[in-house]
Amino acid sequence: MIEHSLHDLGRALATREISSVELTQLHLERIARHNPRLNAYITIDEARSLAQARAADARLASGKGGPLTGIPIAHKDIFCAKGWRTTCGSKMLSNFVSPYDAAVIAGFEAAGAVVLGKTNMDEFAMGSSNETSFYGPVNNPWRAGCVPGGSSGGSAAAVAARLAPAATGTDTGGSIRQPAALCNLTGMKPTYGVVSRYGMIAFASSLDQAGPLARSAADCALLLNAMAGFDERDSTSLNRPAEDYCRELATTSGDKPLSGLKIGLPAEFFGEGCSPEVMALVEAAIAEYRKLGAETVAISLPSMKLSVAAYYVIAPAEASSNLARFDGVRYGHRASQYQDLNDMYSKSRAEGFGAEVKRRILIGTYVLSHGYYDAYYLQAQRIRRLIANDFAEAFRQCDVIMGPTSPSTAFKLGEKAADPVQMYLSDIYTIAVNLAGLPGISIPCGFSGGLPAGLQLIGDYFTETRLLNIAHRYQQASAWHLQRPDGFD
Ligand code: GLN
């Protein structure tokens, strides 16, 4: 049962081959057994999950279930879920129990899915390795002592070790795609505005986007159906007609299902910066795409080299503003001893935030301050526009862009923790996609020294359905995504 796709789980539930309570218990039992060495979950609430599972069973019995009814899903602890402790990986929110559901949680609730637990993450989603979490690092299921990627590292580790059938994540600069690559999963960041950010704790609001982390593109499509949709509570949510993201997956079209597809290969993705082992796997995957009928064209994204620099101005600027709300007054950590109001603010924030969050707040405040705004923030915004223009130009020449997701496979815990710039460079291939607001997906494309690598697919705005289909065709022709780590029986 733990190897079932979401589609097959849905069928097993619908035919009563298994109940939601049994399926939830099966995963809770696996979590109890394996989570201590992974640290993938921050919060488990068996009674709450099982109550939801019983409700799902009743719904299934009445014939009113949908494809996700009764399936337990793990949620990144950045999503507010009613009655659940919601920490965002921070001491600041270690005592916060959410009084309401995020739009994403409500979407799954409406679909009848069960909340299996809240997963570990980098503090306020700032990181690429899950090492900035107040709750400690997560181990990569493929190799203990290696990072699972970040910031959605707990979600990725949970799904890879089969401690959840699927999970949610968020991606501000790569935090769904990069852990997907490092844990052999499929993870999608949709077009900015497709999934509501309501109730998703804000890091950098113009970049943050929620998406699915699962074992296949077909599973991701099913999850995106529950997550996407217009929401008037998020002013950046896009009011577009509802889509069925699964709709292209069922069609069959012979052994060249992608004939006519033009894949753009940007020079900037295939130059320096990527480990030769990962590059070899990416190139082999692209060769596989040619066999499926696609053709490749050389393209260029000339401003892409500025994306990390621009991101590390814009994201901290927005974070410094978003995190101003954590002042010890309304919710979250409050220092126990202080002299006056200002002292209470500063002690609460000094105690509640970790080092990386403080670094971002300092950078963000600096680049927004009078006298530096024009030199840093405004320049970064201009670069952002140039990057978006590069992609617009590229999509006149191709249908989809491909390249590596992460420049390396999983690195060792602690290896980059002391050098923030090294850590920031983990995202060289993912960040431009967020700056432009485009959809991107990472899919497994092989192993180097026993560790998985990811192929990244980037599409034009609102091409999620097609991207998922392009990923799915590769997964029909390959078996990388079916591999699972040893030691989690
Ligand atoms: N690694 C990037 C950062 O630290 C991106 C994180 C994310 O996507 N949430 O900001």
Side-chain angles (χ1 to χ4, degrees):
M1 207 49 85
I2 58 169
E3 293 303 322
H4 273 31
S5 67
L6 294 185
H7 182 81
D8 289 345
L9 280 181
R11 202 164 36 202
L13 285 159
T15 58
R16 318 303 287 151
E17 188 189 321
I18 190 168
S19 70
S20 175
V21 166
E22 287 164 341
L23 188 62
T24 303
Q25 262 162 347
L26 171 74
H27 283 92
L28 288 170
E29 180 272 321
R30 291 182 58 74
I31 292 167
R33 206 144 40 91
H34 298 299
N35 192 54
R37 70 193 153 107
L38 286 178
N39 199 26
Y41 285 88
I42 293 175
T43 304
I44 292 292
D45 184 339
E46 295 203 14
R48 203 170 273 280
S49 298
L50 289 170
Q52 269 192 315
R54 280 191 294 275
D57 280 329
R59 183 164 158 184
L60 286 160
S62 72
K64 294 200 188 96
L68 290 173
T69 306
I71 299 182
I73 307 282
H75 294 288
K76 185 176 184 177
D77 207 16
I78 197 167
F79 294 103
C80 287
K82 193 172 176 182
W84 286 82
R85 186 168 72 129
T86 300
T87 72
C88 218
S90 182
K91 176 177 177 186
M92 183 56 91
L93 288 174
S94 54
N95 60 3
F96 175 65
V97 176
S98 176
Y100 73 110
D101 278 333
V104 164
I105 300 286
F108 280 108
E109 165 113 32
V114 171
V115 179
L116 185 55
K118 304 295 291 294
T119 59
N120 205 341
M121 56 180 285
D122 279 300
E123 186 176 8
F124 286 100
M126 298 174 188
S128 307
S129 65
N130 214 113
E131 291 169 292
T132 71
S133 171
F134 174 64
Y135 298 92
V138 174
N139 266 292
N140 189 314
W142 289 93
R143 187 161 308 153
C146 283
V147 306
S151 63
S152 311
S155 285
V159 178
R162 281 44 173 169
L163 306 190
T168 54
T170 62
D171 192 313
T172 304
S175 283
I176 291 175
R177 290 161 287 157
Q178 190 253 17
L182 272 45
C183 290
N184 204 46
L185 299 176
T186 304
M188 174 171 244
K189 180 203 99 70
T191 306
Y192 183 79
V194 162
V195 178
S196 168
R197 291 182 295 106
Y198 178 78
M200 183 177 117
I201 297 170
F203 162 13
S205 309
S206 78
L207 300 159
D208 298 343
Q209 186 62 194
L213 263 163
R215 298 204 298 261
S216 69
D219 282 4
C220 282
L222 213 48
L223 296 164
L224 194 54
N225 276 349
M227 298 174 79
F230 175 63
D231 181 359
E232 59 183 18
R233 297 167 301 182
D234 169 4
S235 61
T236 59
S237 168
L238 292 164
N239 197 350
R240 293 168 54 84
E243 266 188 66
D244 174 10
Y245 295 99
C246 302
R247 70 179 185 275
E248 287 186 12
L249 305 183
T251 56
T252 46
S253 36
D255 60 349
K256 293 239 183 290
L258 297 177
S259 55
L261 182 77
K262 275 208 179 106
I263 300 174
L265 304 177
E268 294 73 13
F269 278 37
F270 293 87
E272 279 173 14
C274 188
S275 84
E277 295 79 19
V278 170
M279 190 46 78
L281 295 168
V282 165
E283 278 169 353
I286 291 167
E288 192 59 44
Y289 268 107
R290 288 198 193 92
K291 283 193 206 150
L292 295 172
E295 43 181 298
T296 54
V297 289
I299 59 163
S300 175
L301 301 167
S303 302
M304 162 104 192
K305 57 180 181 295
L306 302 171
S307 60
V308 172
Y311 172 91
Y312 280 100
V313 170
I314 293 169
E318 294 186 20
S320 71
S321 163
N322 274 327
L323 271 58
R325 74 191 68 178
F326 301 106
D327 56 8
V329 176
R330 285 155 293 193
Y331 40 70
H333 177 75
R334 180 185 297 175
S336 57
Q337 290 185 352
Y338 46 85
Q339 310 290 331
D340 54 23
L341 185 63
N342 269 325
D343 194 39
M344 193 274 280
Y345 290 152
S346 60
K347 285 214 174 86
S348 300
R349 288 168 68 81
E351 293 170 11
F353 291 138
E356 182 62 24
V357 173
K358 286 176 186 158
R359 179 179 298 127
R360 307 271 180 124
I361 293 173
L362 285 173
I363 296 171
T365 310
Y366 180 83
V367 300
L368 288 175
S369 59
H370 184 72
Y372 294 105
Y373 181 92
D374 289 0
Y376 294 106
Y377 185 71
L378 210 58
Q379 283 295 84
Q381 292 290 24
R382 291 188 177 122
I383 292 170
R384 186 173 189 176
R385 168 50 57 196
L386 293 177
I387 290 169
N389 289 350
D390 279 3
F391 279 110
E393 181 56 36
F395 285 120
R396 278 193 267 277
Q397 300 160 57
C398 64
D399 306 307
V400 60
I401 294 171
M402 291 192 193
T405 304
S406 164
S408 69
T409 55
F411 45 92
K412 290 200 181 66
L413 284 163
E415 191 177 311
K416 299 186 182 176
D419 184 349
V421 174
Q422 265 315 100
M423 188 69 87
Y424 297 169
L425 290 174
S426 310
D427 305 318
I428 47 173
Y429 300 122
T430 49
I431 273 178
V433 175
N434 301 72
L435 288 170
L438 293 164
I441 185 167
S442 180
I443 60 175
C445 69
F447 291 80
S448 165
L451 290 171
L455 173 76
Q456 184 177 203
L457 284 59
I458 304 166
D460 205 350
Y461 301 107
F462 309 116
T463 57
E464 284 79 7
T465 301
R466 181 156 67 161
L467 266 185
L468 288 161
N469 185 39
I470 296 169
H472 176 65
R473 298 303 160 186
Y474 177 78
Q475 294 183 335
Q476 284 184 316
S478 66
W480 301 121
H481 66 294
L482 302 174
Q483 308 303 311
R484 68 178 240 218
D486 290 335
F488 295 96
D489 294 338

